[in-house]
Amino acid sequence: MSEIYAKIAGVGKYLPEKILDNAYFESIVETSDEWITKRVGVKERRMSAPDEFSSDLGAKAAEAALNDAGMTAEEIDLIILATVSPEMYTPSVSCMIQSKIGASRAVAFDINAACSGFIFAVSTANMFIKSGAYKNALVIGADTLTKITEYKDRATCVLFGDGAGAAVLTATSEKTGVLGTVLGSDGSQGNLLTCCGLKASEEDTERRPFSENKRTIWMDGQAVFKFAVKTMESATIEVAEKCGVKVDDLNLIIPHQANKRIIEGARKRLKLDGDKVFCNVEKYGNMSAACVPIALCEAVEQGRVKRGEKLVIVGFGGGLTWGSALIEL
Ligand code: UT7
C-alpha cells in the first residue's frame, strides 16, 4: 500500500471588527505607544464582541478554509480545534463548530497546547490521515484572549488579541503537505504562564491582585521570552533535519506571533534574511492558537509562499509546550 500524506487543501481566517490601538492602552494603564512598539512590536489587536466567542470566530475561519479548498462541510470527517479560551467546559468548541457549520459526519474534539495548539492539532490530524482513519480534516486555532486578559496589568494587557485561523488537510498519495512534525512539552515549567480554571493556588491568587475569579493570564515575561527564542530555533532546526531539508532551503518560516523581538531573535539565531520569516504581530498581537493559522493564511494570500514551496510553522507557549511542522504547500 502506498504511503498517505496530508496536504493543505485550503486556508482561512476570521478577525473580529473592533480594533484596540496603543492609544487605548495609554488611556487605561501607565504605558506608551513607544514602549509597546519597541518592546513588543504591536500597534493594534482585535477584540471580540461581548457575545462573540471562540466557537463563533472558529466557525467563520473554518468556513473560509472550506471555501478556499472548494469543499463542503459534509465532506469533513475530522475537526480538531486548539484553544485556551473555550466559552464552555462542555460541549467542546469543536463540537459547537461542527454544529454551526453543518459538518455532521465529522468527529470533533479540542486540544489545549496554548500558543503551540495549532501545531499540535496539525500534527494530530496528520497522524489520523496518514493512518487512513480519516480523509478530510479541518484544523482550527481559535482564541478570545481579551476575555481572559487583566486590563489593570500593563505587563500583559497590551499583548493580547482575538482571532481564528483554519486549514483543511486532505489525504493524498503524492509526497507533499505535512512532511514532518516535532512536538514538545515541559510541565515542570508550567507555572511560568498560567490562567486559572476551577483552582487557584496561593501563588495564583497573589499574582492576580485585581482579578476576582483568577481566570486571567499571568506570565513571567522574561523567562518565557528566553524559552521562546531558544525553542523557535531548535524546533525549526529539528524538524528540518528530520525531513532532510536545509533550513536555508526553506521558502518561509511562520512563527507564533508573541513579540517582534522574539521573532527577530530566532531569525538571527537561524541566520535567515528578514523576508524568510513571516511577521504580522503589529496588526493583531498575540492570539495564542490563532496566530499561526492566521499568519499561514496571510502568507498564502500575499504570495509569500506558493504551491510546491516548503515552509515551517513553529510555535511555543503555555504548558510549557512547543512544536514545529515542515509543510510543502
Ligand atoms: O505566547 C506565548 C506567551 N507570551 C510570550 O511569549 C511573551 C514573552 N515575553 C515578552 O514578550 C516580554 O517579556 C514582555 C513584552 C512581556 C515584556 O518585555 P520585557 O522587555 O521583558 O520587559 P520587562 O518585563 O523586563 O520589564 C521592563 C520594564 C519594567 O519596568 P522597570 O522595572 O524596569 O521599571 C516593567 O514594569 O518595563 C515595564 N513595563 C512596561 N512599561 C510600559 C512592563 N510592561 C509595560 C508596559 N508599558 N506595558
Side-chain angles (χ1 to χ4, degrees):
M1 218 174 70
S2 69
E3 199 170 338
I4 305 172
Y5 291 88
K7 75 168 185 190
I8 309 281
V11 288
K13 64 172 183 177
Y14 175 75
L15 290 140
E17 269 170 42
K18 184 171 175 176
I19 293 174
L20 300 181
D21 61 12
N22 289 346
Y24 169 74
F25 289 94
E26 286 176 339
S27 76
I28 62 162
V29 287
E30 208 185 315
T31 191
S32 64
D33 174 48
E34 195 199 344
W35 191 94
I36 303 170
T37 307
K38 203 166 145 204
R39 308 301 298 171
V40 198
V42 180
K43 284 288 192 189
E44 293 180 349
R45 27 350 241 141
R46 300 300 177 97
M47 185 185 224
S48 49
D51 61 350
E52 197 177 33
F53 295 94
S54 294
S55 74
D56 301 303
L57 273 52
K60 287 183 176 145
E63 278 167 345
L66 283 171
N67 191 35
D68 187 44
M71 286 168 70
T72 63
E74 289 80 32
E75 289 175 85
I76 296 296
D77 42 26
L78 174 67
I79 300 175
I80 307 181
L81 175 128
T83 190
V84 282
S85 46
E87 60 259 49
M88 305 275 287
Y89 289 133
T90 192
S92 63
V93 175
S94 52
C95 279
M96 287 187 252
I97 292 176
Q98 183 223 29
S99 168
K100 279 180 210 273
I101 66 173
S104 53
R105 291 193 322 105
V107 166
F109 62 91
D110 290 6
I111 61 166
N112 175 342
C115 308
S116 320
F118 182 76
I119 294 157
F120 275 58
V122 164
S123 179
T124 309
N126 181 46
M127 302 298 172
F128 273 119
I129 290 173
K130 284 188 99 53
S131 74
Y134 300 108
K135 282 197 167 62
N136 299 317
L138 248 178
V139 183
I140 310 163
D143 266 302
T144 48
L145 294 189
T146 67
K147 293 188 184 343
I148 51 170
T149 294
E150 176 48 73
Y151 284 94
K152 291 195 177 86
D153 176 13
R154 70 172 182 174
T156 55
C157 71
V158 301
L159 306 173
F160 305 123
D162 300 338
V168 176
L169 264 58
T170 192
T172 176
S173 55
E174 269 173 70
K175 189 178 177 189
T176 187
V178 183
L179 300 180
T181 60
V182 166
L183 302 180
S185 307
D186 180 3
S188 73
Q189 295 197 72
N191 70 347
L192 293 181
L193 204 177
T194 57
C195 178
C196 299
L198 297 178
K199 182 191 139 200
S201 67
E202 218 171 289
E203 188 184 39
D204 293 320
T205 305
E206 276 167 24
R207 285 168 167 180
R208 296 170 178 78
F210 312 113
S211 163
E212 201 177 303
N213 61 17
K214 313 302 168 200
R215 286 176 203 156
T216 50
I217 304 167
W218 180 93
M219 75 173 155
D220 178 339
Q222 285 189 1
V224 177
F225 191 103
K226 284 179 200 148
F227 160 80
V229 177
K230 270 191 249 158
T231 0
M232 292 228 309
E233 180 196 18
S234 57
T236 302
I237 292 172
E238 197 180 338
V239 79
E241 277 174 0
K242 203 170 168 179
C243 298
V245 173
K246 287 196 194 117
V247 172
D248 272 354
D249 292 337
L250 292 165
N251 295 92
L252 193 66
I253 311 282
I254 300 182
H256 172 52
Q257 309 282 318
N259 185 321
K260 206 171 204 164
R261 285 189 297 136
I262 294 177
I263 295 173
E264 265 299 290
R267 182 188 70 73
K268 282 186 189 147
R269 288 168 82 122
L270 289 163
K271 299 184 183 65
L272 291 170
D273 292 339
D275 62 348
K276 284 269 186 96
V277 181
F278 192 85
C279 184
N280 63 1
V281 70
E282 189 175 322
K283 292 193 292 182
Y284 308 128
N286 184 348
M287 302 169 287
S288 195
C291 277
V292 169
I294 289 174
L296 172 64
C297 181
E298 294 196 343
V300 172
E301 282 169 359
Q302 293 165 16
R304 292 279 301 272
V305 63
K306 300 182 186 66
R307 286 280 167 207
E309 293 186 343
K310 289 187 178 66
L311 66 125
V312 161
I313 53 174
V314 57
F316 59 89
L320 298 178
T321 56
W322 62 94
S324 55
L326 194 147
I327 298 169
E328 184 182 277
L329 200 63

